[in-house]
Amino acid sequence: MPNQPEANNWPRWFDPRSRSLGTFGFILNRVTALGLTLYLLMHLVALGQLAKGADAYDGFIALVKNPLFKLGELLVIAAGVIHGLNGIRIALNSFGIGVRRQRSTFIALMAVSVLVIAFFAYKMFSEG
Amino acid sequence: MTEQPWQVHFKIYRQRSGQKPYIQTLTLAVDPDEYILDAIERIWANHDRTLTYRHACHHSTCGACGMRVNGCEKLACITTIRSVTQNGGNLRIDPLRNFPVVSDLVVDMGDFFLRMNKSGFDSVALSEAACLPYEKPKILMDQAEQVTERLVDCIECGLCISACPAANTDKEYVGPAVLASIQFMYAQNPSQELIDQADHHSGLWRCHSAYECTQVCPSGVDPAWRIMDMRKKVLTDRIKSIFRPRSQEKKNA
């Protein structure tokens, strides 16, 4: 029957319309978790190049020096920072710490995330 | 009325049992300061007698008129039209999510009520117990000698369940209101039975901290705080049990 809880309702998780800041935290945690999982798979495939010999691995390393891959690496850093800091907030809340200040904690931690990501972006793209 | 009536375009979810849903559109002249429930009643009275919706007290005590207004869970009886739209604007009215639709805006809340019953939810409690620990009103402090009772905050409207993303995908999820009720009852009379109702995969640990329940609660229950408080109790107990001597554990069992 429509309107009931169903596993295939999951796309609604990513719909922030009419929702509060908490849902943005929820969405960010899911998106970054999926991104990090995808990265882990790609990382394993990349390491698999080692088994094909030095030339194959060197060729792959040359490919990932492309600016597009650098941007991808920055996204991985961003996902790690956002997921990690947001995770700390949720873990603390689960111990009853800072529950009533979860909104301001979320804003503060995301501000820290932006600074950390900006620092890495500067380091990665300014030093060639 | 202090100003000219507003023209508001109502878009109402309609569904007969077992039939395909559709959106009924009609434009109404409304007083911006009237409540959404008043407008719905006028639609029923003057435009379409087949529209079904739930209502009773009209002052946010019964929890019957919960619905989604422009995507957000509201009690229609205390939500003014001005607070959710503008002159010439749209007003989309949908039934609550995560409950089966019986007809139009009416959803089946039977399972939810049964779960509330199972938790032993009592709608009257000592005033001190009925308050959240962080908001003990001053009047209670002043009248510490007097024993008073009052209605507890939860009106079982189901808005929190509709707004919860975890309830969206898990039929077995106990849900914010019921978990809040378990915490409330446990605070007054701790029991293993209450812990068992909450401490499992589809209970306390299914909550993913979106805090939408607290955001939409029209009654200040703060279900998210109560869920986290219950988690703290369960986690504290688990950690203590690691350091508890085995002989003590056997004794407790």
Side-chain angles (χ1 to χ4, degrees):
Chain A
M1 195 180 282
N3 209 47
Q4 286 192 92
E6 298 285 356
N8 58 13
N9 283 344
W10 64 266
R12 283 185 190 166
W13 286 351
F14 303 98
D15 181 1
R17 286 175 298 171
S18 307
R19 300 272 66 113
S20 68
L21 200 61
T23 288
F24 283 88
F26 173 84
I27 291 172
L28 271 177
N29 243 27
R30 256 127 212 87
V31 170
T32 52
L34 289 171
L36 289 169
T37 308
L38 183 67
Y39 170 74
L40 179 67
L41 290 173
M42 285 164 61
H43 186 63
L44 292 174
V45 170
L47 286 181
Q49 298 294 317
L50 275 172
K52 292 181 185 168
D55 286 345
Y57 188 71
D58 287 346
F60 178 75
I61 291 297
L63 177 71
V64 297
K65 284 192 172 164
N66 182 309
L68 205 63
F69 274 87
K70 256 190 175 178
L71 183 68
E73 284 174 357
L74 183 65
L75 286 178
V76 171
I77 291 169
V81 172
I82 292 169
H83 195 84
L85 290 177
N86 205 9
I88 289 170
R89 173 185 71 111
I90 292 165
L92 287 174
N93 286 177
S94 291
F95 279 96
I97 301 167
V99 181
R100 295 191 62 217
R101 285 184 290 276
Q102 60 85 19
R103 265 178 69 92
S104 43
T105 313
F106 176 69
I107 293 167
L109 290 175
M110 288 308 103
V112 171
S113 302
V114 169
L115 291 176
V116 173
I117 295 162
F119 171 77
F120 275 99
Y122 176 75
K123 281 293 206 189
M124 287 169 73
F125 289 99
S126 67
E127 291 172 7
Chain B
M1 195 187 309
T2 54
E3 60 188 285
Q4 290 296 307
W6 283 9
Q7 295 292 317
V8 173
H9 310 293
F10 284 80
K11 294 172 189 295
I12 303 174
Y13 180 99
R14 303 296 306 268
Q15 185 182 17
R16 298 281 110 169
S17 182
Q19 292 178 18
K20 274 187 88 174
Y22 66 96
I23 302 300
Q24 181 181 21
T25 307
L26 51 107
T27 301
L28 221 63
V30 295
D31 175 351
D33 291 317
E34 74 180 318
Y35 297 107
I36 289 167
L37 188 56
D38 299 331
I40 290 173
E41 290 197 310
R42 256 182 312 119
I43 290 169
W44 172 81
N46 301 331
H47 299 272
D48 190 344
R49 286 265 171 169
T50 65
L51 175 66
T52 53
Y53 57 99
R54 295 196 316 153
H55 65 113
C57 76
H58 288 235
H59 58 259
S60 72
T61 299
C62 69
C65 64
M67 47 191 81
R68 284 188 299 131
V69 178
N70 284 345
C72 191
E73 288 72 13
K74 303 274 185 196
L75 282 184
C77 68
I78 54 166
T79 306
T80 59
I81 290 173
R82 186 190 293 283
S83 68
V84 287
T85 189
Q86 58 195 346
N87 193 4
N90 292 326
L91 237 179
R92 171 82 188 240
I93 313 277
D94 289 281
L96 293 181
R97 269 180 182 165
N98 306 328
F99 296 99
V101 172
V102 176
S103 174
D104 300 335
L105 304 174
V106 180
V107 293
D108 180 0
M109 299 175 80
D111 276 352
F112 165 56
F113 293 143
L114 286 175
R115 282 178 177 160
M116 287 296 276
N117 260 0
K118 198 178 167 196
S119 74
F121 179 68
D122 197 347
S123 53
V124 178
L126 289 174
S127 299
E128 180 118 351
C131 295
L132 279 156
Y134 62 75
E135 59 160 26
K136 294 248 168 15
K138 193 176 177 305
I139 190 162
L140 287 180
M141 306 289 193
D142 293 344
Q143 298 177 347
E145 300 296 305
Q146 287 183 342
V147 178
T148 55
E149 287 187 328
R150 74 164 172 89
L151 283 171
V152 298
D153 292 326
C154 183
I155 54 172
E156 302 178 65
C157 60
L159 300 197
C160 54
I161 293 169
S162 175
C164 174
N168 217 348
T169 46
D170 185 359
K171 265 185 193 162
E172 302 304 317
Y173 180 40
V174 173
V178 181
L179 289 171
S181 164
I182 290 170
Q183 186 274 349
F184 171 67
M185 297 309 293
Y186 187 86
Q188 294 173 79
N189 191 13
S191 75
Q192 187 58 41
E193 194 194 334
L194 286 169
I195 293 276
D196 292 343
Q197 283 184 41
D199 183 15
H200 55 86
H201 183 253
S202 294
L204 287 175
W205 312 107
R206 173 58 72 199
C207 166
H208 287 302
S209 313
Y211 295 93
E212 288 296 340
C213 50
T214 290
Q215 189 68 28
V216 300
C217 178
S219 205
V221 174
D222 202 347
W225 184 90
R226 290 183 184 277
I227 291 170
M228 296 306 160
D229 186 63
M230 200 65 197
R231 272 187 183 175
K232 182 175 75 177
K233 285 188 176 85
V234 170
L235 285 171
T236 308
D237 205 42
R238 280 189 191 174
I239 291 167
K240 278 183 183 166
S241 74
I242 295 170
F243 299 103
R244 203 177 291 146
R246 282 192 178 275
S247 56
Q248 182 78 32
E249 229 164 71
K250 277 182 188 166
K251 208 173 158 185
N252 288 347

